[in-house]
Amino acid sequence: MAFQLPDLPYAYEALEPHIDSLTMNIHHTKHHNTYITNVNGVLAGENGAPIKGLSLEAMQGAVATLPDNIKTAVRNSGGGHYNHCMFWTVMGGVGTANAAPFGDLKEKIDSTFGALDEMKKLVSRHKSFHSRLSLSDELRSLCTVQHRGGYSIRVRMGLVVRCRR
C-alpha cells in the first residue's frame, strides 16, 4: 500500500496573513509530498519487505529494529510524512477550534497574565524576539523548552514562539 498526500482540512489561504497561500501550497504539495515519495520508494524497493503493510505509526515504532539500509529513510521520510499529517490538523484559521489556547495552556496563561490578550501585549512590548531581550518572569514561566540561545513557548495551536534571552 503506497502512501498518498492527504488533502488539507482547509484552503491554502486560510492561514493568511500569518502564512501565505503560496508558502502553504509549496510546503504541502512539494515538501510534504517529497517525504511521501521517499517512503514509498523504500516500500517499493528491494529492501521494503520489513515495512510492507505497516501504518506510519507502526513504521516509526519499528525503526530501531529495521535493517540499517532503510532505517534512516523510514525514520526521516516516514516520520516527516507522519509529522506533516499531524501538523496540518493542528493549525487552523481564525475562527476555528485552533484559534485560541485551551486546556492546561489556557489555564496557565489566564493565571499568569489574566488573559491571552494581556500576554500578547507583554510579548509585543519586546518588539522583536530576534533581538536580545531579558524575559520577564511571567513570560519565562511559559517557556517549556530551553535551547541554544533562547527559549521556546510551545503553544497547542501548532505555533512555537521563539525568543532569545
Side-chain angles (χ1 to χ4, degrees):
M1 170 185 91
F3 294 101
Q4 295 180 349
L5 183 67
D7 292 333
L8 291 183
Y10 41 79
Y12 290 126
E13 64 272 4
L15 302 179
E16 290 180 344
H18 308 290
I19 303 174
D20 66 271
S21 177
L22 180 61
T23 300
M24 286 296 294
N25 184 297
I26 291 169
H27 198 94
H28 181 244
T29 64
K30 305 290 186 216
H31 179 73
H32 184 176
N33 202 46
T34 297
Y35 286 129
I36 295 166
T37 300
N38 291 344
V39 76
N40 282 340
V42 174
L43 271 168
E46 62 185 46
N47 299 311
I51 60 171
K52 284 198 189 323
L54 295 181
S55 67
L56 284 171
E57 295 88 349
M59 254 188 237
Q60 294 309 296
V63 163
T65 66
L66 295 177
D68 288 341
N69 60 351
I70 65 169
K71 188 179 293 191
T72 299
V74 170
R75 180 184 58 240
N76 294 350
S77 295
H81 176 36
Y82 182 84
N83 180 54
H84 280 76
C85 287
M86 183 264 317
F87 175 71
W88 303 129
T89 63
V90 298
M91 295 193 323
V94 174
T96 68
N98 293 329
F102 56 90
D104 294 341
L105 179 62
K106 182 182 181 334
E107 289 175 22
K108 181 68 173 174
I109 290 170
D110 289 349
S111 68
T112 303
F113 301 99
L116 178 62
D117 285 340
E118 295 304 313
M119 184 186 101
K120 288 178 181 179
K121 287 177 191 173
L122 177 65
V123 169
S124 68
R125 279 197 303 258
H126 289 296
K127 296 183 182 165
S128 171
F129 288 128
H130 299 291
S131 63
R132 295 189 61 77
L133 58 89
S134 176
L135 291 179
S136 67
D137 290 340
E138 294 86 8
L139 215 58
R140 188 171 283 117
S141 73
L142 287 179
C143 293
T144 58
V145 178
Q146 183 174 1
H147 55 85
R148 200 170 38 139
Y151 295 87
S152 291
I153 300 172
R154 300 220 178 258
V155 182
R156 288 188 183 186
M157 294 178 287
L159 303 173
V160 177
V161 177
R162 288 195 178 91
C163 40
R164 298 180 77 82
R165 282 187 273 164

